[in-house]
């Protein structure tokens, strides 16, 4: 895989990787993992909301009318 990174970002990544004593590749993998976790959490929240709205529809209606 080839990844083109703008020069300024590349320099910032170099500096951060050096500061953390890891390779830039390892740093980018950590970033990718964070993005995937965030997307997974969003999907979990969406799925949980859908579950509540379908399984507890009567309760939600009563709360709406309260």
């Amino acid at each position: 895989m080839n990844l083109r990174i703008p020069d300024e970002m590349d320099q910032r990544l170099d500096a951060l990787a050096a500061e953390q004593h890891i390779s830039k590749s390892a740093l980018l993998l950590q970033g990718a993992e964070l993005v995937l976790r965030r997307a997974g959490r969003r999907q979990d929240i969406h799925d949980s909301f859908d579950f509540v709205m379908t399984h507890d529809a009567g309760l939600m209606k009563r709360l709406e009318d309260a």
Side-chain angles (χ1 to χ4, degrees):
M1 179 176 96
N2 291 326
L3 179 64
R4 295 180 191 264
I5 301 171
D7 289 338
E8 181 184 338
M9 184 183 288
D10 191 44
Q11 292 170 2
R12 292 171 58 201
L13 289 168
D14 281 336
L16 184 57
E19 180 182 306
Q20 294 187 8
H21 306 288
I22 60 175
S23 68
K24 189 176 2 177
S25 181
L27 183 68
L28 290 171
L29 288 174
Q30 288 177 4
E33 182 63 34
L34 288 172
V35 168
L36 292 170
R37 283 187 204 162
R38 184 181 304 154
R41 282 193 303 266
R42 284 187 186 134
Q43 187 61 49
D44 289 345
I45 290 168
H46 183 274
D47 292 346
S48 297
F49 179 80
D50 286 347
F51 177 84
V52 168
M53 295 308 288
T54 56
H55 288 81
D56 296 324
L59 172 62
M60 298 306 288
K61 182 64 177 166
R62 287 192 306 273
L63 289 172
E64 178 184 293
D65 295 336

